[in-house]
């Protein structure tokens, strides 16, 4: 009898099904963590991802999982196995040591780096919930520089969104560059609710150095502001872009994906294979994204 009971419990533990509500909190303040990232794993692969809401709640349904990973910028990642996922409804993230104290940056002469001041003459680029989009910025500057803000331009807003800004290190794979790990310790969120002639800008509250080997500036759509977002082609927002065939525009279709697409390289190669000729360069664009830096 005990053997059957044990087997029954093991089956339950590793096959989490039905809809469940779980909560994510700060381990010290016990405040709910909004927009924490939740990834569901099965056989060591991500099968789905979601975010916590304003009350720190995330839900999942009709999925069999081995474990989940909960993460938030400025906090240590938390991995929860299937057994603990069933036993507990609340989970606590511990802040990283370096994110506990805000570092003030002295105001000096600032310089824009990136494409924020380029012509807005490219095809607007689609951007929506859970999507990550951004550009690679090479460091051609002398001396040590620090990032004070990130700027980006919006072409159209169909659905107002909450956008998260992240700075990634640079990794290489088969001689190609890809975003590595998140470098900023603080979480930067901005509501994008209308088109503006001036760029959206989010100020950094930490002393983050511009890496010598460059970096990726990435935007992530974490939530719709309206309860009933639009569907179809006229949904989400559109990033303003400039015509360019530079291989610096990268995106992931959703935050649970493991793969980054360097779009212009892919588009040029795919078009050549499909049609036997070069893609018209006017079809290629790069989003108008940049950073402000100082000494």
């Amino acid at each position: 009898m005990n053997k059957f009971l044990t087997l029954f419990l093991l089956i339950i533990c590793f096959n989490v099904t039905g809809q469940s509500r779980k909560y994510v909190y700060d381990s010290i303040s016990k405040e709910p963590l909004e927009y924490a990232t939740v990834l569901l794993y099965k056989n060591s692969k991500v099968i789905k991802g979601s975010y916590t809401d304003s009350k720190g709640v995330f839900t999942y349904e009709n999925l069999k999982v081995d474990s989940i990973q909960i993460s938030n910028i400025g906090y240590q990642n938390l991995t929860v196995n299937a057994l603990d996922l069933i036993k507990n409804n609340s989970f606590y993230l511990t802040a990283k040591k370096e994110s506990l104290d805000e570092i003030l940056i002295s105001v000096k002469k600032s310089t824009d780096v990136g494409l924020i001041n380029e012509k807005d003459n490219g095809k607007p680029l689609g951007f929506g919930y859970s999507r990550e989009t951004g550009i690679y910025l090479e460091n051609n500057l002398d001396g040590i520089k620090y990032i004070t803000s990130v700027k980006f331009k919006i072409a159209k807003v169909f659905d107002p969104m909450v956008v998260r800004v992240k700075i990634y290190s640079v990794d290489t794979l088969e001689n190609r560059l890809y975003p590595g790990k998140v470098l900023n310790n603080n979480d930067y969120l901005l509501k994008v609710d209308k088109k503006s002639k001036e760029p959206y800008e989010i100020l950094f509250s930490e002393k983050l150095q511009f890496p010598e080997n460059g970096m990726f500036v990435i935007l992530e759509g974490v939530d719709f502001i309206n309860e009933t977002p639009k569907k179809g082609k006229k949904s989400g927002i559109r990033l303003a872009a400039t015509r360019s065939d530079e291989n610096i525009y990268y995106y992931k279709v959703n935050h649970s994906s493991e793969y980054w697409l360097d779009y212009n390289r892919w588009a040029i190669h795919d078009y050549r294979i499909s049609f036997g000729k070069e893609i018209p360069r006017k079809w290629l664009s790069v989003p108008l994204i940049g950073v402000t830096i100082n000494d």
Side-chain angles (χ1 to χ4, degrees), residues 33-99:
L33 292 179
E34 186 177 16
Y35 303 132
T37 300
V38 181
L39 300 178
L40 281 64
Y41 285 83
K42 178 68 175 179
N43 297 328
S44 301
K45 294 183 178 180
V46 178
I47 60 173
K48 193 173 183 180
S50 64
Y51 301 100
T52 56
D53 63 17
S54 60
K55 297 180 180 179
V57 174
F58 69 91
T59 61
Y60 58 90
E61 56 184 335
N62 301 323
L63 292 174
K64 298 180 179 180
V65 300
D66 297 327
S67 64
I68 66 168
Q69 183 186 77
I70 307 171
S71 62
N72 202 24
I73 294 176
Y75 290 84
Q76 298 175 15
N77 293 351
L78 176 66
T79 299
V80 182
N81 62 40
L83 178 58
D84 289 335
L85 185 58
I86 291 176
K87 290 169 56 179
N88 301 289
N89 288 324
S90 299
F91 303 97
Y92 298 86
L93 297 188
T94 301
K96 295 178 182 178
K97 183 178 179 180
E98 59 266 31
S99 67

Side-chain angles (χ1 to χ4, degrees), residues 7-185:
L7 178 61
F8 176 72
L9 290 175
L10 285 174
I11 291 174
I12 292 178
C13 290
F14 291 94
N15 293 275
V16 182
T17 59
Q19 188 176 61
S20 298
R21 289 170 58 88
K22 304 294 181 178
Y23 300 81
V24 180
Y25 300 100
D26 181 290
S27 63
I28 296 177
S29 69
K30 303 300 187 286
E31 292 292 324
L33 292 179
E34 186 177 16
Y35 303 132
T37 300
V38 181
L39 300 178
L40 281 64
Y41 285 83
K42 178 68 175 179
N43 297 328
S44 301
K45 294 183 178 180
V46 178
I47 60 173
K48 193 173 183 180
S50 64
Y51 301 100
T52 56
D53 63 17
S54 60
K55 297 180 180 179
V57 174
F58 69 91
T59 61
Y60 58 90
E61 56 184 335
N62 301 323
L63 292 174
K64 298 180 179 180
V65 300
D66 297 327
S67 64
I68 66 168
Q69 183 186 77
I70 307 171
S71 62
N72 202 24
I73 294 176
Y75 290 84
Q76 298 175 15
N77 293 351
L78 176 66
T79 299
V80 182
N81 62 40
L83 178 58
D84 289 335
L85 185 58
I86 291 176
K87 290 169 56 179
N88 301 289
N89 288 324
S90 299
F91 303 97
Y92 298 86
L93 297 188
T94 301
K96 295 178 182 178
K97 183 178 179 180
E98 59 266 31
S99 67
L100 295 178
D101 298 317
E102 184 176 285
I103 301 174
L104 298 179
I105 301 175
S106 58
V107 178
K108 299 181 180 180
K109 184 178 180 180
S110 297
T111 303
D112 285 335
V113 176
L115 306 177
I116 194 64
N117 295 317
E118 296 295 323
K119 290 183 179 179
D120 181 2
N121 61 0
K123 181 180 179 180
L125 301 171
F127 182 75
Y129 175 75
S130 189
R131 189 182 180 98
E132 294 192 50
T133 295
I135 63 172
Y136 164 71
L137 293 182
E138 188 177 6
N139 188 349
N140 295 316
L141 304 170
D142 295 326
I144 297 176
K145 306 295 182 181
Y146 295 95
I147 304 163
T148 56
S149 71
V150 168
K151 299 177 180 179
F152 57 93
K153 290 184 178 179
I154 298 298
K156 296 180 181 180
V157 177
F158 297 112
D159 294 301
M161 296 186 67
V162 177
V163 174
R164 170 178 279 146
V165 174
K166 298 189 285 190
I167 304 295
Y168 278 88
S169 65
V170 177
D171 275 355
T172 57
L173 178 64
E174 298 179 352
N175 297 319
R176 298 211 302 267
L177 303 181
Y178 288 97
K181 65 177 182 179
V182 178
L183 298 178
N184 49 292
N185 294 308

